[in-house]
């Protein structure tokens, strides 16, 4: 990696991620909140061997009253932190004004956030503003599970710039409270890697997990899948963070997490076994999602059990079961799934639904 200690405002470095031994490490706060916070975090992260310091300056927030970042003045804090620590710096850009301000300030690496990747107009505007530059650009996956949209954003940037483009896998949003803040859907990242074998993919366990205790298994999985790097949010005082307080960890915790990770050499075997591995990994991920969906279905069955109980209804309603059986049979047939297979599956699911509804009804009786 080429890392120079840039004076404030000088042109960006050219980082060479290819030369860095896995994992390429990106860390720093979700948002730059004050000069001291950025500096304190950066100094602590330097000890942990971080290759790139991250901090959001402009925060795309879901709700209007949330903290929206400190804006342009915070760019100086990043540049200052780089001057003190020698760690190159990165921030998120969402429009051409952001790009221009970052280029002027000499920011080393930029990334396009998940809410921006969904919009080809916004991505194209950013790509146009980057025309002819050579700083690395990282493209996060879009909010929703759309591989071609992610690839399209990467390609728009690749066409415009002379520098490297990396992908960041940060998981996919979906409705309802789930184990992960954003579903990893590893098979999408794997499919991206298969479509673009040269592309470096960095995993962002923070936005996938949404909570500290899940960071490590997600980071480990990313390493086991051969991803090139990790982007993990860290803050010197996570509980005081103005954004994403629930998922940030201290630089010390970040260091400890890294120590525990097993980084295996991803020696890909002959072409055939590599693609067999990739197919199996996709299958693992799909099974994981099937199980999560079944869990969500059983949670609904429990709610239905409570409803039936409070309305004095029986668990088994033959007309509803008949309808479920017939419609699912038709859907399965249209999807090319064998009728016997789907019938067995439906019977098992129905049996389990009855069991949990029954449990719901009897258990509540004991409580009362
Ligand atoms: C972030 O990195 O803080 C961020 C806003 O991420 P995402 O675009 O993945 O939501
Ligand atoms: Mn964040």
């Amino acid at each position: 990696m080429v890392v120079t200690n840039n004076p404030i405002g000088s042109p960006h470095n050219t980082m060479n991620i290819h030369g860095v031994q896995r994992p390429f490490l990106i860390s720093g706060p979700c948002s730059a909140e004050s000069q001291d916070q950025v500096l304190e975090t950066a100094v602590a992260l330097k000890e942990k061997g971080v290759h790139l310091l991250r901090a959001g300056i402009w925060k795309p927030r879901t709700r209007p009253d949330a903290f929206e970042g400190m804006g342009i003045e915070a760019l100086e804090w990043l540049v200052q932190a780089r001057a003190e620590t020698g760690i190159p710096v990165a921030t998120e850009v969402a429009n051409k004004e952001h790009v221009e301000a970052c280029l002027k300030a000499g920011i080393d690496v930029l990334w396009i956030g998940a809410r921006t990747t969904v919009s080809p107009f916004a991505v194209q505007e950013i790509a146009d503003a980057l025309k002819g530059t050579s700083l690395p650009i990282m493209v996060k996956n879009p909010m929703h599970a759309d591989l071609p949209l992610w690839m399209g954003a990467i390609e728009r940037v690749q066409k415009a710039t002379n520098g490297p483009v990396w992908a960041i896998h940060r998981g996919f949003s979906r409705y309802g409270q789930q184990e992960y803040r954003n579903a990893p859907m590893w098979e999408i990242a794997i499919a991206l890697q298969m479509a673009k074998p040269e592309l470096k993919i960095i995993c962002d366990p923070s936005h996938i997990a949404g909570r500290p205790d899940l960071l490590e298994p997600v980071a480990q999985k990313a390493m086991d899948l051969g991803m090139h790097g990790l982007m993990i949010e860290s803050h010197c005082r996570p509980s005081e963070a103005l954004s994403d307080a629930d998922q940030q960890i201290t630089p010390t915790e970040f260091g400890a997490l890294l120590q525990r990770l097993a980084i295996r050499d991803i020696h890909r075997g002959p072409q055939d076994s590599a693609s067999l591995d990739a197919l199996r990994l996709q299958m693992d991920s799909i099974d994981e999602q099937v199980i999560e969906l079944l869990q969500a279905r059983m949670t609904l069955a429990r709610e239905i059990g409570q409803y039936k109980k409070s309305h004095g209804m029986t668990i088994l309603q033959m007309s509803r079961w008949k309808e479920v059986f017939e419609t699912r049979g038709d859907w399965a047939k249209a999807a090319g799934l064998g009728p016997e297979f789907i019938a067995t599956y439906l019977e098992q699911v129905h049996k389990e639904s009855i069991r949990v509804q029954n449990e719901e009804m009897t258990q509540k009786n004991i409580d009362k």
Side-chain angles (χ1 to χ4, degrees):
M1 181 177 53
V2 182
V3 179
T4 48
N5 211 339
N6 265 15
I8 294 174
S10 78
H12 58 82
N13 300 306
T14 301
M15 294 195 64
N16 179 7
I17 194 174
H18 294 263
V20 177
Q21 228 196 330
R22 291 171 62 241
F24 180 75
L25 294 174
I26 308 171
S27 189
C30 178
S31 302
E33 297 164 4
S34 70
Q35 184 158 14
D36 287 350
Q37 171 245 10
V38 173
L39 192 57
E40 190 180 335
T41 311
V43 167
L45 286 173
K46 186 180 169 66
E47 269 177 46
K48 311 297 171 198
V50 162
H51 301 106
L52 182 64
L53 179 73
R54 65 146 284 151
I57 303 282
W58 301 283
K59 301 302 296 178
R61 306 318 302 280
T62 306
R63 306 294 290 273
D65 294 331
F67 170 66
E68 292 190 325
M70 298 302 289
I72 207 153
E73 68 163 322
L75 283 177
E76 278 307 304
W77 307 340
L78 280 184
V79 171
Q80 194 65 45
R82 177 181 62 201
E84 301 258 349
T85 61
I87 311 175
V89 290
T91 198
E92 175 176 344
V93 289
N95 60 36
K96 78 172 188 314
E97 286 76 24
H98 296 167
V99 173
E100 284 159 6
C102 288
L103 292 177
K104 196 162 161 224
I107 300 300
D108 302 285
V109 176
L110 306 180
W111 83 81
I112 299 178
R115 290 161 190 77
T116 306
T117 307
V118 293
S119 164
F121 287 133
V123 174
Q124 193 58 52
E125 177 183 311
I126 292 167
D128 290 344
L130 285 166
K131 210 159 199 72
T133 62
S134 59
L135 69 170
I137 308 297
M138 308 190 286
V139 181
K140 286 202 174 197
N141 65 252
M143 295 295 285
H144 60 289
D146 187 335
L147 175 61
L149 192 60
W150 193 6
M151 289 171 63
I154 291 166
E155 286 156 8
R156 282 175 201 277
V157 179
Q158 279 172 332
K159 279 180 176 220
T161 78
N162 303 319
V165 180
W166 310 326
I168 301 181
H169 169 231
R170 51 79 77 199
F172 302 89
S173 175
R174 62 186 169 189
Y175 184 68
Q177 190 56 45
Q178 308 276 345
E179 188 185 16
Y180 297 104
R181 176 177 174 193
N182 290 291
M185 302 178 102
W186 298 102
E187 72 278 11
I188 297 180
I190 294 166
L192 177 68
Q193 192 72 86
M194 288 176 87
K196 296 182 182 292
E198 299 306 316
L199 184 71
K200 297 292 180 199
I201 305 182
I202 292 159
C203 181
D204 171 350
S206 297
H207 292 88
I208 292 177
R211 49 181 230 241
D213 62 308
L214 260 188
L215 291 175
E216 191 175 327
V218 172
Q220 185 62 60
K221 174 96 176 180
M223 289 299 97
D224 293 346
L225 291 180
M227 290 195 183
H228 204 76
L230 296 170
M231 182 196 252
I232 295 183
E233 287 183 341
S234 61
H235 190 291
C236 40
R237 278 169 294 281
S239 61
E240 293 170 21
L242 299 180
S243 62
D244 286 350
D246 290 348
Q247 71 195 28
Q248 301 200 63
I249 55 175
T250 62
T252 305
E253 288 163 338
F254 173 74
L257 187 156
L258 290 179
Q259 290 290 317
R260 291 191 301 265
L261 286 185
I263 312 293
R264 295 177 195 96
D265 193 12
I266 39 147
H267 177 68
R268 290 261 174 238
Q271 190 51 40
D272 279 357
S273 76
S275 51
L276 179 62
D277 281 354
L279 292 170
R280 284 182 172 152
L281 288 166
Q282 293 183 69
M283 208 173 237
D284 290 350
S285 173
I286 287 171
D287 284 343
E288 205 180 338
Q289 290 169 63
V290 168
I291 287 170
E292 271 191 19
L293 287 171
L294 284 170
Q295 183 198 32
R297 198 187 192 285
M298 293 309 155
T299 305
L300 285 173
R302 281 190 193 281
E303 281 177 34
I304 290 173
Q306 284 166 15
Y307 180 95
K308 285 177 178 169
K309 185 186 173 201
S310 59
H311 289 76
M313 292 163 73
T314 56
I315 292 184
L316 191 60
Q317 312 258 299
M318 278 322 283
S319 57
R320 165 67 184 162
W321 172 231
K322 195 165 169 285
E323 180 212 318
V324 167
F325 204 83
E326 281 170 6
T327 51
R328 277 54 165 177
D330 290 346
W331 300 342
K333 192 172 166 200
L337 296 169
E340 241 176 79
F341 161 62
I342 214 66
T344 314
Y345 159 80
L346 286 171
E347 271 155 20
Q348 290 302 319
V349 167
H350 189 234
K351 209 166 125 192
E352 181 64 2
S353 288
I354 290 177
R355 190 189 68 75
V356 301
Q357 287 188 26
N358 192 38
E359 204 174 83
E360 221 29 60
M361 288 175 150
T362 49
Q363 194 178 328
K364 291 287 166 347
N365 280 339
I366 298 165
D367 290 345
K368 278 177 189 165

